[in-house]
Amino acid sequence: DQQVKQNSPSLSVQEGRISILNCDYTNSMFDYFLWYKKYPAEGPTFLISISSIKDKNEDGRFTVFLNKSAKHLSLHIVPSQPGDSAVYFCAAPIVQGGSEKLVFGKGMKLTVNP
Amino acid sequence: NAGVMQNPRHLVRRRGQEARLRCSPMKGHSHVYWYRQLPEEGLKFMVYLQKENIIDESGMPKERFSAEFPKEGPSILRIQQVVRGDSAAYFCASSPSASRHYEQYFGPGTRLTVT
């Protein structure tokens, strides 16, 4: 039961261009979303988040957009840099089994070519 | 201020052996989560612990897996009689308080290979 879906496994973009990473969710109870970035052989690191009361959150080169009616969010990186090459996970906290935990998508591998 | 520490980083076990994975949370953090990442999959929640208490183990297989977070020392994820399907990356995360669960800080993971 995949409540958070990242349907594209990979994306390749040129340095300086925009990277758009998509995420869909099925649970309408989700009210907060996070993006994590993961380099090989490292743990995920928090990148940016958005509350469901907003439709946009911006932090430097990173912007997350939320479309609640479509149950869709996207992460925009502009301009993309080679150091952005990593796997990006979309996640949402859910209360289940008596506690709140994160539900992750499968991740998308972004490659930014110099 | 050290981050979340996990050791070993790589662990190879033969089928039927035991695997012990250790996690030291960030200083000041008393909430620990364990996640498992199978190949080509996202991270899946396993268990949530506070000091000396298992709060939620709903994501952990009922058999062979156990976790603890003692008063002193790291959190331990223990897998008994490992099978090939246990091969995965196991990540530990910690957070500072119960009210901010989603601010979880991850360790580098332990990659378990069962041969």
Side-chain angles (χ1 to χ4, degrees):
Chain A
D1 179 21
Q2 197 73 17
Q3 299 187 71
V4 177
K5 299 177 183 180
Q6 294 177 261
N7 293 318
S8 299
S10 63
L11 173 68
S12 182
V13 301
Q14 284 300 119
E15 182 178 5
R17 306 295 289 269
I18 185 170
S19 295
I20 300 177
L21 291 74
N22 294 307
C23 178
D24 297 293
Y25 60 96
T26 58
N27 191 336
S28 57
M29 299 297 291
F30 287 153
D31 61 1
Y32 196 87
F33 302 90
L34 308 92
W35 285 93
Y36 280 83
K37 176 180 179 179
K38 184 183 179 301
Y39 292 118
E42 294 184 15
T45 55
F46 170 74
L47 186 60
I48 191 169
S49 62
I50 187 166
S51 166
S52 62
I53 63 173
K54 295 185 174 182
D55 55 17
K56 176 183 174 181
N57 188 27
E58 190 172 353
D59 183 1
R61 297 186 297 112
F62 303 89
T63 303
V64 56
F65 295 92
L66 176 61
N67 182 334
K68 288 188 290 293
S69 61
K71 293 193 180 70
H72 175 84
L73 60 156
S74 60
L75 173 67
H76 292 214
I77 306 173
V78 57
S80 302
Q81 298 174 354
D84 297 328
S85 298
V87 176
Y88 290 78
F89 292 96
C90 174
I94 187 170
V95 176
Q96 213 171 48
S99 74
E100 186 176 272
K101 69 266 296 180
L102 291 174
V103 177
F104 284 85
K106 289 187 178 184
M108 171 190 264
K109 183 177 181 180
L110 172 66
T111 301
V112 180
N113 301 303
Chain B
N1 185 18
V4 178
M5 308 288 285
Q6 286 188 253
N7 67 81
R9 295 292 306 272
H10 300 273
L11 183 61
V12 180
R13 284 287 178 266
R14 291 199 178 121
R15 279 178 298 170
Q17 291 184 318
E18 178 180 288
R20 281 187 178 234
L21 289 64
R22 287 176 288 278
C23 168
S24 297
M26 285 182 70
K27 188 175 180 180
H29 288 194
S30 58
H31 301 256
V32 167
Y33 308 80
W34 285 93
Y35 293 84
R36 177 167 67 174
Q37 185 184 21
L38 295 169
E40 309 302 322
E41 296 286 327
L43 282 74
K44 297 283 175 65
F45 168 80
M46 298 182 74
V47 60
Y48 162 43
L49 311 101
Q50 295 178 21
K51 284 283 186 181
E52 299 184 277
N53 282 305
I54 297 174
I55 306 302
D56 181 357
E57 56 183 349
S58 59
M60 203 147 70
K62 295 287 187 286
E63 296 179 354
R64 303 188 296 108
F65 285 72
S66 62
E68 63 177 11
F69 189 15
K71 187 177 180 181
E72 301 291 337
S75 175
I76 306 285
L77 179 67
R78 183 180 175 208
I79 311 172
Q80 294 178 292
Q81 299 174 325
V82 296
V83 301
R84 288 228 173 97
D86 297 331
S87 295
Y90 292 82
F91 292 96
C92 164
S94 71
S95 70
S97 71
S99 63
R100 295 169 63 186
H101 281 182
Y102 42 79
E103 293 194 24
Q104 296 183 15
Y105 299 83
F106 284 82
T110 294
R111 276 139 191 88
L112 173 65
T113 301
V114 179
T115 61

